Amino acid sequence: RRYPTVEIRAETFNGSTHVPVPSDSAFLKALLFELRLVDDHIFAEHRDTCTRINHSSVYSVRTEGGDLWPVLAFQKSGLIYACLPLVEETLEPRPPLLTVSGLSQGLALLLGIVDYISPSRKNEAEMSAKIGQLRNLLIQACPLGTPLNTNIRSLNSSFDDIQETPTDENQPAWRSNTYKGKPQVNVCITEKVKCMQYDKRDVVDMWQVYGAVNCKCDIEGSAPNVTLSLNLPTNGPPLQDIVVHHCVTSVDPALLMSSSAEPLDDSVYNGPYKFPFIPPSDSFNLCYYTSQVPVPPILGCYQLIEEGSQLKITVNLKLHESIKNSFEYCEARIPFFNRGPIAQLEYKVSYGQLDLSREKSLLVWVIGQKFPKSLEVSLTGTVSFGTAGKEHPTDYVCTGNTAYVKLYFRIPDFTLTGCYVDQHSIQIFAPGKPKITASRELISSDYYIWNSKAPAPTTYKTLF
C-alpha cells in the first residue's frame, strides 16, 4: 500500500536529498537482497562488511535512486512484514532511531497485521483470504498513512460497511459505529505509583504517581455528549501534566497549565476537573495525569550484610496511616543475583508468610490483604548459597551487596491522590437513564527499596 500524501511530505522534509520510493517490484527485489534472501552467496560491501552489524529490524535498502532509510522489516512464519516510516526531519545526518516516532507507529501496525494473519498460517486458503481482505482493512486502520487503529483483528473486513455514508453528518470520525441497547457508562481511575527508597541521609527518596481515566460509554446516538468530572478531597494534591483524549470537545486552559516541572503554589487549579466529550465506540483513556503526593504508600528499609558465606537480611515495611488497609494482594520479592541457589534459609517474619521460588533464587514474602493493626511488618533471616549455575539470575547492576526489595500490590477502590468520579455529576445528553459504574484502584509500578548498607546505582536515581 502506497500513500502519495506521505511521499509528498517526505520530499518536503528532505528536499534535494529525497530518495523516491521505487516501484513495488523494484523495492521487493532490493529488500530481499538486503535481507540476504536472494543472492546471499554474493559479497556486497554495503551489506556484508564486518563493520556493519544490524542490532535492530531497521534497514537501509539500496535502490537505483539512492538508499531508502529507515525500512522496518522482519520475517515471521515464512512471511516478510515491511514498511517505510516517514521521518519528520532531515535525513542528513541520520537521526537516532529513538527520535523517529514513525518507527514505533509502523512497528505497531505491522505487529497488528501479524496478529491478524498468523493464526491462519497453517491453512493456505484461509491465509490467502485474509491477505485479500488486508487492503480493505488498511483503509480503516491507516487511511492516509497515519495508523489510527493497529488492532487489525477488531476491524470489519467488509468493505461495503465502511463505504456507507453515516446517517448523521455530525457523527465524528472516531465514533465508528452506533450502539443499540440500554445505555451504560463504565469509568475506572487507575493510579500507579513508582518509588525509589534508599534509607540514606545523603540520597533523597523519590516517588511519583501517574493516573489514567478509562471510559467505556455504550450510548445510543451518532454523537452523544457526555460530561465527566474528576474530584479531589479538600486537601488532595492537585493533578498535573494533564493530557486529554482528542474526543474532548473543550477544556478549561487552567486545567492544562499545571506542570510538575514548576513548583506548586496556592494558585494551582485543584478541580473539579470537567471533561465534556463525544465518546468513541470502544474503551478509551479519557485523560492521563501525574501528581505530587506528600508520602509514598509503604515506607521500607532493607539491610543486607555479607558475613562469610552467609547473607544477613532485614526488611521493615510500614503502611502509611492515610492509606486504605485493604489489598487485593501485597507481596515483597527479594531477588539474589549472581549467586547460586539458596541452600539454607533461616528466617522470622512478624506477619504473612515467606516462600522460596522454584529456582531457589528469589524470596517471596506474601503479606496478604491487610497489614496488622500496628501497620508495621518485619522480616529477618540468614541465607546461604550453593554453587551457581547458568540458570540462576545475573545482573550487572546488582553486584555484591547492591540489591533491592521490590513491592507488588493493588488496592481496590482507592487512589493515592484521593481522585474520584462522582457518579451523580456525570451528565449524558442522550435518551434513557444510563447505568453508571465508577471504580478506582492503586497499583505499584517499579516500587524499589534499595539495600541501605550498599551504594545504590546512580542510573536508577535519574529515572524520574
Side-chain angles (χ1 to χ4, degrees):
R1 178 125 179 93
R2 303 174 72 107
Y3 296 95
T5 51
V6 180
E7 293 186 44
I8 291 169
R9 289 178 67 198
E11 194 172 350
T12 305
F13 279 116
N14 298 301
S16 60
T17 60
H18 175 67
V19 178
V21 182
S23 67
D24 291 356
S25 58
F27 175 79
L28 177 60
K29 185 178 178 181
L31 178 62
L32 292 175
F33 183 78
E34 181 64 31
L35 296 176
R36 295 186 177 87
L37 296 176
V38 295
D39 298 334
D40 60 333
H41 60 285
I42 298 173
F43 176 79
E45 187 172 350
H46 76 276
R47 180 191 70 178
D48 302 318
T49 176
C50 296
T51 58
R52 182 170 174 244
I53 301 173
N54 240 356
H55 294 289
S56 68
S57 297
V58 179
Y59 299 90
S60 177
V61 175
R62 181 155 293 185
T63 67
E64 284 187 7
D67 289 353
L68 274 181
W69 182 91
V71 176
L72 182 60
F74 58 87
Q75 295 180 67
K76 179 82 174 175
S77 306
L79 295 174
I80 301 169
Y81 297 83
C83 71
L84 177 59
L86 174 68
V87 181
E88 296 185 286
E89 56 186 297
T90 179
L91 290 176
E92 295 294 342
R94 284 184 182 173
L97 293 181
L98 286 174
T99 66
V100 182
S101 60
L103 280 171
S104 55
Q105 294 177 335
L107 181 60
L109 184 62
L110 291 181
L111 291 176
I113 295 172
V114 171
D115 185 50
Y116 167 71
I117 289 179
S118 286
S120 310
R121 66 183 185 275
K122 292 180 181 176
N123 185 326
E124 197 169 326
E126 191 177 328
M127 182 184 280
S128 297
K130 280 196 169 184
I131 291 174
Q133 294 167 349
L134 194 54
R135 183 174 179 82
N136 295 342
L137 295 172
L138 280 174
I139 292 173
Q140 301 172 69
C142 192
L144 294 173
T146 301
L148 301 180
N149 186 354
T150 57
N151 186 0
I152 308 296
R153 280 201 297 176
S154 70
L155 301 173
N156 193 327
S157 60
S158 170
F159 190 53
D160 296 334
D161 290 350
I162 62 168
Q163 286 290 75
E164 241 178 65
T165 306
T167 53
D168 188 339
E169 61 182 16
N170 295 320
Q171 182 169 332
W174 61 83
R175 194 165 171 81
S176 55
N177 53 56
T178 52
Y179 172 77
K180 299 290 182 186
K182 188 176 180 181
Q184 50 189 1
V185 175
N186 290 301
V187 184
C188 179
I189 302 174
T190 298
E191 283 188 359
K192 293 186 177 181
V193 55
K194 272 187 172 184
C195 195
M196 294 282 168
Q197 295 182 38
Y198 303 97
D199 192 34
K200 291 184 177 183
R201 287 185 178 180
D202 59 332
V203 185
V204 179
D205 292 347
M206 295 184 177
W207 57 92
Q208 183 185 39
V209 176
Y210 51 101
V213 181
N214 184 268
C215 299
K216 179 73 168 73
C217 302
D218 294 325
I219 305 169
E220 291 189 357
S222 57
N225 284 287
V226 180
T227 299
L228 182 147
S229 293
L230 297 181
N231 297 278
L232 293 174
T234 307
N235 298 321
L239 306 185
Q240 296 176 297
D241 306 322
I242 298 173
V243 179
V244 299
H245 192 274
H246 59 74
C247 73
V248 175
T249 52
S250 66
V251 71
D252 187 335
L255 184 147
L256 302 175
M257 293 301 288
S258 179
S259 167
S260 58
E262 298 170 2
L264 287 170
D265 58 44
D266 294 337
S267 65
V268 170
Y269 190 83
N270 59 0
Y273 303 86
K274 277 195 169 185
F275 301 96
F277 60 96
I278 299 173
S281 308
D282 299 320
S283 173
F284 70 103
N285 285 327
L286 176 67
C287 69
Y288 300 91
Y289 61 84
T290 67
S291 185
Q292 298 178 40
V293 295
V295 290
I298 298 175
L299 289 164
C301 171
Y302 178 36
Q303 294 184 347
L304 180 150
I305 303 171
E306 200 159 359
E307 292 186 356
S309 60
Q310 285 188 331
L311 292 182
K312 283 194 170 184
I313 61 169
T314 303
V315 184
N316 295 308
L317 301 175
K318 182 178 181 180
L319 180 69
H320 195 269
E321 59 268 15
S322 65
I323 307 302
K324 182 182 178 183
N325 189 9
S326 178
F327 294 78
E328 182 181 305
Y329 57 84
C330 181
E331 64 183 42
R333 297 185 185 180
I334 311 168
F336 296 98
F337 299 107
N338 311 309
R339 305 175 191 272
I342 294 173
Q344 193 172 357
L345 171 65
E346 294 179 8
Y347 69 91
K348 181 182 178 182
V349 289
S350 67
Y351 195 79
Q353 66 180 56
L354 191 69
D355 297 325
L356 180 61
S357 69
R358 189 185 303 171
E359 301 81 17
K360 297 188 176 180
S361 59
L362 175 73
L363 296 180
V364 181
W365 181 13
V366 180
I367 296 163
Q369 296 179 319
K370 269 187 179 295
F371 274 66
K373 283 186 178 179
S374 65
L375 301 182
E376 295 185 44
V377 294
S378 62
L379 159 68
T380 56
T382 57
V383 186
S384 57
F385 302 88
T387 307
K390 288 183 179 179
E391 70 278 7
H392 292 284
T394 59
D395 194 298
Y396 296 109
V397 174
C398 299
T399 57
N401 289 354
T402 298
Y404 61 76
V405 173
K406 190 172 183 183
L407 298 188
Y408 296 82
F409 57 82
R410 178 181 180 270
I411 307 178
D413 195 28
F414 180 81
T415 50
L416 203 52
T417 60
C419 183
Y420 66 96
V421 173
D422 182 1
Q423 296 186 34
H424 302 292
S425 72
I426 297 179
Q427 296 176 304
I428 299 171
F429 304 96
K433 188 176 180 182
K435 178 185 177 184
I436 297 172
T437 307
S439 60
R440 54 185 186 160
E441 61 183 358
L442 177 69
I443 301 174
S444 63
S445 170
D446 296 334
Y447 204 105
Y448 292 93
I449 300 166
W450 289 92
N451 177 22
S452 61
K453 296 295 184 182
T458 54
T459 50
Y460 282 95
K461 293 179 191 175
T462 57
L463 274 182
F464 298 90

